Amino acid sequence: MTSPVRLALLGCGTVGSEVVRLLHTQSADLAARIGAPLEIVGIAVRRIGRDRGELPVDPAVFTTDALDLVKRDDVDVVIECVGGIEPARGWLVEALRAGKSVVTANKALLAEDGGTLHDAAAEGGGDLYYEAAVAGAIPLLRPLRESLHGDRITRVTGIVNGTTNFILSAMDATGAGFAEALEEATDLGYAEADPTADVEGFDAAAKAAILASLAFHTRVGAADVHREGITEVTAADVISAKAMGCTIKLLCIAARGVAADGRETVGVRVHPAMIPLTHPLASVGDAFNAVFVEAEAAGQLMFYGRGAGGAPTASAVLGDVVAVSRNRLAGVRAASESAYADLPVRPMGEALTRYHISLDVTDRPGVLAAVAGVFARHDVSIATVRQGSGGGGVAGRGEDADLVIVTHVAPDAALAATVRALRGLDTVRSVASVLRVEGGA
Ligand code: NDP
Ligand code: HSE
């Protein structure tokens, strides 16, 4: 058989240790599929002495010097399962410029500075694959990067963070508040000790940037993504959503659009939103991920599965290792980054969306007219108004009343200005909640 493809693994935690296990248990099949065996020549970690359970690998391959490992001449492919921006960026640039192929699960780095990695890959002539970086086990990036390259993608809408989907699903199922649902997610091991990246939407924003870059042939970075997390979502919001036949999800939405001057643009945003129960993403529960892709010729496509966890993520990593290894043996490299369209990123204010607004108001004549006047002055059309129906926590309370207003589609800037103006009305005691409504309910 041909000489082995030699692998350097950076990181041997949740994902990296499962990569080692899968490489061992599938070794014969992987060798047959690639046409050469895979051999781990080094594993870089932070703490050599850490208990990693029964790992089927020679302890002598462990090192704490990742940079030294990626520089070695006997390394063909670098697999990065560490995460973070630095020092991972330095290691991967070094490896790629030296002509090695790289497989990485590092969405934060790709979203922060993917261009540098792609440029280094082009310079060195190796491959850069990162299927595991978005939606774990779900084959999603390869379809966007290859299968759909004959089509024109118009919109990508996804649930790409398992932790927040678990929390919102728990709030929907049990009526729990955010803090209680987060505690459950932590107890079950879904949420990390510091859940900020998940609950504040940073993780989903990084994935949204990667998806938008591939879908629209444009470099989109994390800084281009409008981001809101789920910490402000309340049990009352969940009840209101149910009353509308909706559920609340943390969505990533990347869509083509047209600017006022007629130029095509791309808009990318992450925020909680109500979606109708009839929408394909509404039934995605627990910690699952799903991504809904709309393309001109293909129509609507849905990708669903496990978006996190050691083994599911390692499955995606191994798929990439097989692909880059085959390419090396064949002496070819995959198509480079496709960023030729270079579309300008649309400001969030121009995004077209709908709002669901809950107001605490003074219950006296003329209040509704005053509120409606604010919407009219901002050119925002009201679709429905409810007061005192009881269903969504909406009830007349003597001198006060709760009003729930749902708008028609309008630019986000007009909707936000409307909410600011409502806050200034003396008859509006408070704006209890504001949520976007997506998906055509
Ligand atoms: P872990 O924290 O479990 O593992 C990180 C690994 O990196 C550990 O083995 C750690 O060493 C090692 N490491 C940290 N710093 C250094 C350093 N300076 N030099 C060498 N090694 C270092 O992370 P995960 O496995 O969860 O995540 C890895 C990557 O995969 C991240 O980019 C993450 O975003 C991505 N990912 C993770 C998913 C998941 O479900 N966990 C899903 C999809 C993507 P030591 O073991 O000694 O501490
Ligand atoms: N923290 C992430 C999630 C891991 O909850 O989805 C997968 O990227």
Side-chain angles (χ1 to χ4, degrees):
M1 197 180 248
T2 332
S3 30
V5 176
R6 297 156 303 177
L7 311 175
L9 175 63
L10 313 182
C12 193
T14 306
V15 177
S17 61
E18 286 302 326
V19 168
V20 172
R21 286 194 185 90
L22 275 182
L23 277 168
H24 179 73
T25 54
Q26 313 262 42
S27 63
D29 282 328
L30 292 173
R33 288 169 201 167
I34 293 167
L38 295 171
E39 181 192 347
I40 299 179
V41 298
I43 301 180
V45 292
R46 196 170 30 189
R47 298 159 289 172
I48 293 266
R50 179 182 172 187
D51 180 8
R52 297 174 203 281
E54 289 287 310
L55 265 193
V57 69
D58 179 354
V61 300
F62 281 92
T63 173
T64 53
D65 193 340
L67 184 59
D68 183 62
L69 176 58
V70 302
K71 282 180 171 172
R72 274 169 51 175
D73 290 335
D74 64 344
V75 168
D76 302 306
V77 175
V78 172
I79 307 169
E80 191 260 310
C81 300
V82 172
I85 309 303
E86 292 292 357
R89 173 168 46 196
W91 303 329
L92 299 192
V93 167
E94 176 75 32
L96 288 163
R97 284 197 182 136
K100 287 155 189 163
S101 296
V102 163
V103 172
T104 177
N106 191 339
K107 60 238 168 183
L109 174 56
L110 286 156
E112 173 75 20
D113 196 13
T116 296
L117 299 186
H118 283 291
D119 290 347
E123 191 183 322
D127 280 329
L128 171 64
Y129 272 53
Y130 45 93
E131 184 66 63
V134 182
I138 306 173
L140 173 64
L141 302 194
R142 207 84 62 84
L144 291 180
R145 160 172 169 157
E146 294 175 9
S147 322
L148 287 163
H149 257 203
D151 207 333
R152 183 181 145 85
I153 295 172
T154 51
R155 187 178 171 99
V156 179
T157 311
I159 295 170
V160 290
N161 183 268
T163 305
T164 47
N165 201 47
F166 178 88
I167 292 170
L168 292 172
S169 301
M171 289 173 74
D172 190 81
T174 66
F178 169 76
E180 199 184 328
L182 171 60
E183 203 176 310
E184 190 186 351
T186 310
D187 289 347
L188 289 170
Y190 289 114
E192 301 195 19
D194 177 2
T196 310
D198 293 318
V199 299
E200 296 291 359
F202 290 100
D203 177 80
K207 293 165 178 170
I210 296 169
L211 289 174
S213 300
L214 290 173
F216 304 120
H217 307 275
T218 292
R219 276 187 185 174
V220 177
D224 297 317
V225 182
H226 173 88
R227 176 195 53 78
E228 294 170 32
I230 64 163
T231 52
E232 307 288 315
V233 177
T234 64
D237 291 332
V238 173
I239 292 169
S240 279
K242 283 187 175 171
M244 280 180 63
C246 288
T247 186
I248 299 175
K249 296 290 184 190
L250 181 69
L251 296 183
C252 89
I253 300 171
R256 289 182 192 271
V258 181
D261 62 5
R263 278 188 314 160
E264 185 162 48
T265 58
V266 55
V268 193
R269 50 195 164 109
V270 166
H271 53 71
M274 293 184 180
I275 53 170
L277 293 171
T278 49
H279 192 283
L281 291 175
S283 57
V284 178
D286 207 49
F288 280 84
N289 283 191
V291 177
F292 189 66
V293 177
E294 294 164 72
E296 277 183 4
Q300 299 179 332
L301 304 160
M302 174 95 156
F303 299 82
Y304 172 84
R306 291 194 185 278
T313 309
S315 162
V317 169
L318 259 286
D320 281 355
V321 170
V322 169
V324 303
S325 299
R326 280 183 182 149
N327 286 350
R328 291 190 82 81
L329 289 180
V332 297
R333 74 181 288 252
S336 328
E337 177 197 24
S338 173
Y340 70 90
D342 198 20
L343 298 177
V345 175
R346 192 166 60 241
M348 181 60 188
E350 292 177 22
L352 295 176
T353 182
R354 299 162 61 205
Y355 271 21
H356 172 284
I357 303 163
S358 299
L359 303 173
D360 287 345
V361 297
T362 315
D363 195 5
R364 58 178 158 79
V367 171
L368 197 53
V371 166
V374 170
F375 283 82
R377 278 195 296 284
H378 291 87
D379 206 17
V380 172
S381 175
I382 293 173
T384 62
V385 182
R386 283 189 296 131
Q387 177 184 338
S389 70
V394 182
R397 295 191 309 256
E399 293 190 350
D400 294 350
D402 293 342
L403 276 185
V404 174
I405 296 168
V406 181
T407 71
H408 285 298
V409 168
D412 198 79
L415 290 160
T418 304
V419 172
R420 278 196 301 277
L422 288 170
R423 288 200 165 102
L425 282 187
D426 58 5
T427 48
V428 173
R429 294 192 189 280
S430 73
V431 178
S433 90
V434 179
L435 270 171
R436 295 186 183 84
V437 184
E438 298 288 338

